[in-house]
Amino acid sequence: MGVKIRAEKSQDKFSSSVFRDRMFRMKRGRKTNEANSSSSDDTTENESKRHKIVEKKTTVVQSPDWANLLQDIILQVFQYLPLLDRAHASQVCRNWNQVFHMPDLWRCFEFELNQPATSNLRTTHPELIKQIIKRHSNHLQYVSFKVDSSKESAEAACDILSQLVNCSLKTLGLISTARPSFMDLPKSHFISALTVVFVNSKSLSSLKIDDTPVDDPSLKVLVANNSDTLKLLKMSSCPHVSPAGILCVADQCHGLRELALNYHLLSDELLLALSSEKHVRLEHLRIDVVSENPGQTQFHTIQKSSWDAFIKHSPKVNLVMYFFLYEEEFDPFFRYEIPVTHLYFGRSVSKDVLGRVGMTCPRLVELVVCANGLRPLDEELICIAERCKYLSAVGLGECEVSCSAFVEFVKMCGGRLSQLSIMEEVLIPDQKYSLEQIHWEVSKHLGRVWFPDMMPTW
């Protein structure tokens, strides 16, 4: 009986051991399957990521088709490029070359003509000039010539002008970076080239021909062909033009709004012509009063009644006067009230003349004095502050003003002084203010931080 019971217990232990072994194997098999399944999923996911990376790399590698960009886009880019870079870019493909020759790119052009032997400035390549004349001269509308002082450069400019027979310019500027340039040419050669433009351009609105040998007959050709469109004329330092020549322009060009000339061309008749009812209101009149050699130039006087008629007709005109005279030549000026708004003294000017400025220039907006001498300008500045109620810009260099007088001047003008450029050596310390103190005092009256200048800014 006892043996039978032990046998049954032994059999039960064996059965339970077999059962546990089977359960262990089943669990291990399930984990293996799960691991294999998880590994398979990871492999699939990694392959998917790898394919996406490859696709992204493939997308990045693909480059745009630059040759087939819209011409409007290429045109916008070309307008910002220098001419030489634009010419190089035009060789990339046929599409870009077509854009290079579109009329919109050639309406505005500046010819730079400089001699490599005498100038470091860049120059327009002769072959490119030939291309422009051949293919784009009829597209040109806004043209300027920038030349150095050499006669060769001025002759090259005239040669180009004489070939502009198929274009109708709207603006023309002849700019000499240094003298003599155009003035060194034979007068007939220059006039012949300029007349080509005057005759063929029926809508010329802006003309800048300073320092050139233009004369009265050529101005008559200009007026005959462009009287209805001319609005701006700058012709300072043109010795072959007479007062009668500029008067012809004023009489016929009723739309003229800006005029710049030398004082010797200014006359009572010209001011009255610009004041006639049929003439538009002039917006800007610049007068250069220049003397090359002391005592050799006689300056005439303009009547006060002529200035009064001119201002009555054009009350908002900016009258700008540049004086490059020697002290003894100022006698005809500032003897009575004149409507000048912007006044520049390029050479030394006396205390007496500056005192007269305060008494005779009530419309003065800007005053620049480059030099005066060793006598302080205290009283003169105070007088200007009292009488020139519109003064908003002042520049002083190589003058002397006491710190106290300068502070009083700024205090009287107040916040309307939007520009105040005073060299540090101009200000003379006194018992009331030092150079360190004047910075704070002037800043207080201006309502902004102010310091004296170390270099001229005008």
Side-chain angles (χ1 to χ4, degrees):
M1 184 71 177
V3 173
K4 185 178 181 179
I5 292 172
R6 283 196 296 269
E8 288 177 355
K9 287 183 178 180
S10 177
Q11 187 176 0
D12 291 340
K13 289 181 179 179
F14 175 77
S15 298
S16 61
S17 175
V18 170
F19 176 77
R20 284 196 302 269
D21 184 60
R22 287 180 178 176
M23 291 298 293
F24 175 75
R25 289 180 180 178
M26 289 176 64
K27 288 181 179 180
R28 188 173 63 180
R30 194 183 308 137
K31 288 182 179 180
T32 302
N33 292 336
E34 290 177 357
N36 291 337
S37 175
S38 175
S39 175
S40 176
D41 291 342
D42 290 344
T43 302
T44 304
E45 185 178 353
N46 290 336
E47 289 180 358
S48 176
K49 288 182 178 179
R50 190 169 67 251
H51 286 306
K52 288 181 179 180
I53 293 173
V54 171
E55 288 177 1
K56 287 182 179 180
K57 288 183 178 179
T58 304
T59 303
V60 172
V61 169
Q62 289 179 351
S63 59
D65 189 359
W66 294 101
N68 291 320
L69 278 177
L70 292 176
Q71 290 192 343
D72 288 342
I73 297 176
I74 303 172
L75 179 64
Q76 292 292 326
V77 174
F78 275 18
Q79 287 175 340
Y80 289 96
L81 292 179
L83 178 61
L84 189 59
D85 293 342
R86 195 192 306 169
H88 289 158
S90 69
Q91 301 175 21
V92 169
C93 61
R94 182 178 299 176
N95 188 33
W96 288 27
N97 188 263
Q98 289 175 353
V99 176
F100 178 74
H101 293 291
M102 290 177 69
D104 286 351
L105 279 177
W106 299 100
R107 287 188 170 87
C108 180
F109 192 81
E110 180 178 72
F111 292 94
E112 296 179 291
L113 306 172
N114 303 290
Q115 299 302 309
T118 58
S119 174
N120 293 324
L121 300 175
R122 63 184 181 183
T123 186
T124 308
H125 197 278
E127 289 300 322
L128 186 56
I129 293 176
K130 291 179 181 178
Q131 284 278 337
I132 294 170
I133 299 300
K134 182 179 179 180
R135 301 189 61 171
H136 304 293
S137 61
N138 59 325
H139 301 147
L140 296 174
Q141 293 183 0
Y142 309 94
V143 175
S144 62
F145 292 83
K146 185 180 290 185
V147 302
D148 60 13
S149 60
S150 67
K151 182 178 179 181
E152 293 80 5
S153 297
E155 287 178 339
C158 288
D159 290 340
I160 296 172
L161 285 172
S162 62
Q163 297 179 65
L164 300 181
V165 294
N166 295 320
C167 68
S168 183
L169 299 185
K170 292 184 178 180
T171 68
L172 174 63
L174 304 181
I175 304 167
S176 299
T177 56
R179 294 184 179 182
S181 194
F182 291 105
M183 292 301 299
D184 208 25
L185 293 177
K187 178 185 169 185
S188 58
H189 180 41
F190 176 82
I191 295 299
S192 175
L194 193 63
T195 303
V196 170
V197 177
F198 288 171
V199 170
N200 290 282
S201 298
K202 304 297 183 182
S203 57
L204 197 61
S205 64
S206 175
L207 182 62
K208 301 177 183 180
I209 47 175
D210 298 324
D211 297 296
T212 63
V214 63
D215 60 5
D216 290 356
S218 57
L219 289 181
K220 290 182 179 179
V221 176
L222 168 68
V223 170
N225 292 276
N226 301 273
S227 60
D228 294 334
T229 58
L230 191 63
K231 295 181 179 180
L232 182 149
L233 178 60
K234 293 186 176 181
M235 46 182 303
S236 298
S237 301
C238 297
H240 300 295
V241 175
S242 70
I246 193 65
L247 182 60
C248 171
V249 175
D251 277 334
Q252 301 297 321
C253 300
H254 299 149
L256 200 63
R257 295 186 179 275
E258 294 188 38
L259 181 62
L261 42 80
N262 275 75
Y263 185 80
H264 79 273
L265 296 178
L266 186 66
S267 64
D268 295 296
E269 292 79 11
L270 176 60
L271 289 176
L272 294 175
L274 294 171
S275 307
S276 65
E277 293 183 2
K278 59 185 178 181
H279 207 287
V280 300
R281 289 180 173 87
L282 206 66
E283 297 175 357
H284 192 95
L285 175 61
R286 169 175 167 165
I287 308 296
D288 290 351
V289 191
V290 182
S291 173
E292 300 293 344
N293 299 301
Q296 295 188 8
T297 305
Q298 297 296 322
F299 294 97
H300 58 284
T301 301
I302 302 296
Q303 299 297 321
K304 184 178 183 299
S305 57
S306 301
W307 283 122
D308 291 342
F310 176 64
I311 289 301
K312 183 178 180 180
H313 181 264
S314 302
K316 296 183 179 180
V317 65
N318 287 317
L319 176 58
V320 184
M321 298 187 74
Y322 283 81
F323 282 89
F324 293 89
L325 301 182
Y326 297 93
E327 288 191 14
E328 61 271 17
E329 297 174 319
F330 276 99
D331 189 62
F333 302 99
F334 308 110
R335 291 298 180 183
Y336 53 81
E337 190 173 295
I338 61 173
V340 62
T341 56
H342 298 73
L343 195 51
Y344 303 90
F345 293 101
R347 293 186 185 141
S348 180
V349 58
S350 67
K351 283 172 60 70
D352 176 60
V353 172
L354 287 175
R356 286 168 16 209
V357 166
M359 301 296 292
T360 60
C361 303
R363 297 178 77 241
L364 192 63
V365 173
E366 182 176 11
L367 173 66
V368 174
V369 180
C370 292
N372 166 255
L374 300 178
R375 298 174 61 190
L377 299 177
D378 295 3
E379 298 84 359
E380 290 73 21
L381 278 183
I382 299 300
C383 177
I384 290 172
E386 287 177 346
R387 294 181 173 270
C388 304
K389 300 299 184 181
Y390 303 102
L391 188 68
S392 62
V394 176
L396 298 177
E398 296 188 29
C399 307
E400 285 192 359
V401 181
S402 70
C403 287
S404 297
F406 181 66
V407 170
E408 183 64 22
F409 168 77
V410 174
K411 183 178 179 180
M412 294 174 68
C413 294
R416 74 170 188 262
L417 284 175
S418 59
Q419 297 181 21
L420 186 60
S421 178
I422 311 297
M423 297 291 292
E424 188 176 45
E425 58 266 25
V426 169
L427 301 172
I428 308 302
D430 52 25
Q431 294 180 350
K432 194 171 183 180
Y433 297 105
S434 65
L435 288 177
E436 291 76 17
Q437 293 171 319
I438 199 172
H439 148 63
W440 297 105
E441 194 68 21
V442 172
S443 297
K444 180 178 70 174
H445 293 298
L446 289 178
R448 64 180 187 274
V449 177
W450 179 86
F451 288 97
D453 292 324
M454 304 302 295
M455 296 183 65
T457 58
W458 57 85

